[in-house]
Amino acid sequence: MRAALCEAEQAAAMGEVPIGAVAVVGDAIIARAHNVREATHNPLGHAEILLIEQVSRTRQAWRLDDVTVVVTCEPCLMCVGAMLQARIPRVIYGCADPKAGACGSLYTAHNDPRLNHRIDAVSGVSADECGALLSVFFRARRG
């Protein structure tokens, strides 16, 4: 989670919502990303989406069934959908997102029995630190 928090801090320094993510295989980080929606003017600029694209491009494969995504905030519905499509088996996240979280807060898309794939979700890792980063960012933005 420390590496994902470093990515989130980079996003914050760029004026982006401070969310960072890393892809892990075994004990190694194989990719890193952070939000870039503002810089790219692209609603798909979420850390998790960029991470999945990066790993898929590097591996030249869409099935990422040995990759764990570690992200500072609970993934949204779009990001969980992308992880399901990529067959990512596990996501570890910091703070919950009661307004858009899709791993238990608002939706349970990661574990929907109607889908042919499920994602094991682990929540609350460094939650206070991840949540504080977001709180400070939005407090400053509001004024």
Side-chain angles (χ1 to χ4, degrees), residues 53-107:
E53 286 178 335
Q54 189 182 124
V55 175
S56 295
R57 200 173 10 228
T58 300
R59 290 183 160 190
Q60 296 187 344
W62 64 268
R63 283 186 184 91
L64 307 180
D65 55 9
D66 62 341
V67 174
T68 295
V69 171
V70 180
V71 62
T72 56
C73 185
E74 181 180 3
C76 71
L77 196 53
M78 174 180 71
C79 292
V80 170
M83 285 188 249
L84 286 163
Q85 290 298 316
R87 305 301 190 259
I88 290 171
R90 188 171 194 217
V91 62
I92 298 169
Y93 65 90
C95 60
D97 184 350
K99 293 184 179 181
C103 289
S105 290
L106 188 60
Y107 303 102

Side-chain angles (χ1 to χ4, degrees), residues 8-25:
E9 289 165 359
Q10 287 181 41
M14 297 170 49
E16 300 281 350
V17 174
I19 296 177
V22 295
V24 177
V25 175

Side-chain angles (χ1 to χ4, degrees), residues 3-22 32-51 54 70-76 78-79 97 133-134 137-138 141:
L5 277 162
C6 287
E7 288 294 319
E9 289 165 359
Q10 287 181 41
M14 297 170 49
E16 300 281 350
V17 174
I19 296 177
V22 295
R32 302 165 186 263
H34 56 266
N35 279 11
V36 294
R37 287 192 317 174
E38 300 300 328
T40 61
H41 310 290
N42 184 346
L44 304 178
H46 289 210
E48 302 95 321
I49 297 293
L50 299 171
L51 192 73
Q54 189 182 124
V70 180
V71 62
T72 56
C73 185
E74 181 180 3
C76 71
M78 174 180 71
C79 292
D97 184 350
L133 193 57
L134 285 162
F137 175 81
F138 284 115
R141 203 163 204 192

Side-chain angles (χ1 to χ4, degrees), residues 80 84 91 102-104 107-112 115 117-121:
V80 170
L84 286 163
V91 62
C103 289
Y107 303 102
T108 55
H110 72 294
N111 198 24
D112 190 319
L115 300 174
H117 180 69
R118 313 269 185 306
I119 300 170
D120 178 33

